[in-house]
Amino acid sequence: MYTEPFRAGNEGHSLREEWDEVESVWAIPDTHATRLAPVRGNSMEPTLHDGDVVAIKRMEFRIDEPLGIPFGEVFGIVVRTSDDPDDRSYLDYIKRLYRHPDSDKHLTHWIAHSDNSDYKDFEVRIDRVASLWRVKASVAVQRFS
């Protein structure tokens, strides 16, 4: 489990890779995930809740083949905030990704969708996606005092 969360909201989480440390080691049978990350925010409710943990696996994709991902599934998305390749500022989200409905944009942008209807969809520029993580499972964490 890594310390840096994926943000379940439309503001994104300012990802600091240098702060992303292994917090603990878990085994979840039959998930084929490579890491776990906490979820922060409520934009993916009722599917994922604030504090849930997602088991994720990095998904390779090609920018020149943007329609090759399984649309409608939940992903952790890490997005560069700038076109400058030396700028190491990122935002991350946990969202469902869909093909852009505009035929002029469907090869350059995806639509990020929240399961919580209080949040609006937004565009993600595919050429700014630094990494894409497919959610394989989730763990609901309930803490008791």
Side-chain angles (χ1 to χ4, degrees):
M1 169 118 113
Y2 285 77
T3 54
E4 286 293 297
F6 278 102
R7 182 73 182 157
N10 285 15
E11 299 301 314
H13 169 75
S14 182
L15 179 66
R16 301 290 302 257
E17 285 186 330
E18 63 270 18
W19 294 349
D20 199 16
E21 298 176 355
V22 174
E23 181 179 286
S24 57
V25 177
W26 296 30
I28 302 175
D30 302 321
T31 62
H32 304 287
T34 55
R35 67 191 294 168
L36 295 162
V39 173
R40 296 289 175 254
N42 67 351
S43 73
M44 291 304 291
E45 288 182 1
T47 307
L48 298 170
H49 297 273
D50 183 39
D52 284 358
V53 173
V54 288
I56 56 178
K57 182 176 183 177
R58 189 175 184 125
M59 181 175 178
E60 298 301 326
F61 72 97
R62 292 180 45 162
I63 292 174
D64 61 337
E65 294 181 6
L67 306 179
I69 68 166
F71 290 115
E73 292 194 17
V74 181
F75 291 92
I77 314 149
V78 179
V79 181
R80 285 187 299 280
T81 60
S82 167
D83 288 327
D84 179 358
D86 295 325
D87 185 351
R88 296 188 48 88
S89 299
Y90 303 94
L91 293 175
D92 64 26
Y93 304 92
I94 188 130
K95 299 289 174 204
R96 290 189 190 276
L97 290 179
Y98 290 100
R99 179 181 174 159
H100 202 291
D102 184 339
S103 61
D104 291 334
K105 290 186 170 184
H106 78 276
L107 295 177
T108 58
H109 293 76
W110 289 323
I111 294 296
H113 176 78
S114 300
D115 287 354
N116 183 335
S117 61
D118 291 341
Y119 292 83
K120 294 182 180 179
D121 292 353
F122 60 92
E123 296 178 341
V124 174
R125 272 184 45 188
I126 298 167
D127 64 352
R128 284 200 179 166
V129 175
S131 63
L132 189 62
W133 299 84
R134 195 170 181 180
V135 174
K136 305 298 276 179
S138 67
V139 178
V141 178
Q142 186 173 9
R143 291 181 171 77
F144 300 96
S145 53

